[in-house]
Amino acid sequence: MTTPILMLGAGRLGGALIEGWRRRGAYSPSDLMIRDPQPGPAAEAAARDGARLNPPDGELARARTVLLAVKPQIWREAAVEVTPWLASGAVIVSVAAGVATADLAVEFGKRPVARVMPTTAAAIARCTASIFSSDPEAFARAHALFEPLGTVVDLADERLMHAATAVSGSSPAYLYAFVEALEAAGEAVGLGPDEARKLARATLTGAAALLAETGADPAELRKQVTSPGGTTAAALEVLTGEGGLGPLLRDAVAAATRRSKELGA
């Protein structure tokens, strides 16, 4: 039994999960118990529709699943506050970046633990979630929470979670930074701000949708829009040249991977 779900933290990511579950009809507000001293709009909306917001400690024993969604820097504090009140059969699912299952298990009284690294596209049920657990019950519980929200990728080795965080969990920000830069580049060659914004955003979201729906190799799609000696080829000589996207992204992903390891430490 997955519910009631106790959410420890309901900020941006936790709020995205709430919105996605409601969108898909996976879990209703009445399935949720939310513990957050400064809950976001999604948590407040769920509370108005039946979720228990900041319930007293005695009620926490009802939780069958505990979703740890606080910032990694304060996860131990959150665990210490609630663990004495949890039922022995509660299962822990953590989305706290960099925090190892062994450490989580210790702080949560040896309860079954799964780690998940999702994206905030959970809000529109287009999430990508990397999952690791060595415990079958916790693994199944994590799947139950995240399968309704998009794509799930199972990791066989927990050490890969750092890389998954860098490639998936953090990468929406890489795309948004690219869009910002493309809009600014459009303005630099004479487009107005509104024109640059519409052209950059609509083109990139369309390209992403084509990649998702066709399942084609990105290299093949790139070739399809690159005529020899044309405008796209001229641009790609810059983007894929020395110091271009390849080296930049390798360095960016390596930096994010290192930081994930540091947060876990």
Side-chain angles (χ1 to χ4, degrees):
M1 184 177 180
T2 302
T3 60
I5 300 166
L6 170 61
M7 299 188 70
L8 301 180
R12 186 158 299 170
L13 180 54
L17 299 177
I18 293 170
E19 291 173 358
W21 289 330
R22 296 189 73 170
R23 177 183 285 252
R24 283 295 180 89
Y27 300 103
S28 67
S30 61
D31 292 323
L32 305 179
M33 305 164 68
I34 302 169
R35 193 177 177 105
D36 192 319
Q38 295 180 311
E44 292 177 342
R48 290 192 293 270
D49 292 334
R52 294 284 287 147
L53 182 58
N54 293 320
D57 292 340
E59 289 191 23
L60 304 185
R62 296 177 49 237
R64 293 294 173 264
T65 305
V66 179
L67 181 64
L68 180 66
V70 299
K71 290 181 173 61
Q73 295 88 341
I74 63 170
W75 78 268
R76 290 184 190 275
E77 177 183 334
V80 168
E81 287 180 356
V82 304
T83 297
W85 305 97
L86 298 177
S88 59
V91 173
I92 313 302
V93 177
S94 170
V95 297
V99 184
T101 54
D103 293 331
L104 290 162
V106 169
E107 295 297 339
F108 281 100
K110 302 299 183 181
R111 291 172 174 84
V113 173
R115 278 181 68 186
V116 183
M117 177 46 61
T119 62
T120 52
I124 58 171
R126 296 293 299 269
C127 172
T128 304
S130 303
I131 296 178
F132 171 80
S133 181
S134 59
D135 183 277
E137 184 180 12
F139 182 77
R141 195 69 57 88
H143 267 260
L145 293 181
F146 287 91
E147 280 183 347
L149 300 179
T151 300
V152 169
V153 177
D154 297 331
L155 301 179
D157 188 329
E158 185 171 9
R159 290 173 294 183
L160 294 174
M161 190 63 77
H162 298 298
T165 298
V167 171
S168 177
S170 298
S171 65
Y174 313 161
L175 177 61
Y176 302 145
F178 185 89
V179 175
E180 286 182 276
L182 184 58
E183 290 177 5
E187 291 184 49
V189 293
L191 291 171
D194 188 57
E195 294 165 332
R197 178 181 63 82
K198 288 180 179 178
L199 287 169
R201 298 183 191 196
T203 302
L204 289 177
T205 55
L210 184 65
L211 179 65
E213 291 187 18
T214 64
D217 190 284
E220 178 58 31
L221 292 175
R222 173 179 54 78
K223 292 175 184 176
Q224 290 174 13
V225 296
T226 308
S227 300
T231 60
T232 307
L236 287 176
E237 286 182 8
V238 177
L239 286 174
T240 61
E242 185 177 355
L245 281 177
L248 279 174
L249 283 175
R250 283 194 295 272
D251 289 347
V253 169
T257 302
R258 285 194 301 272
R259 183 55 179 155
S260 177
K261 293 177 180 178
E262 290 168 0
L263 287 172

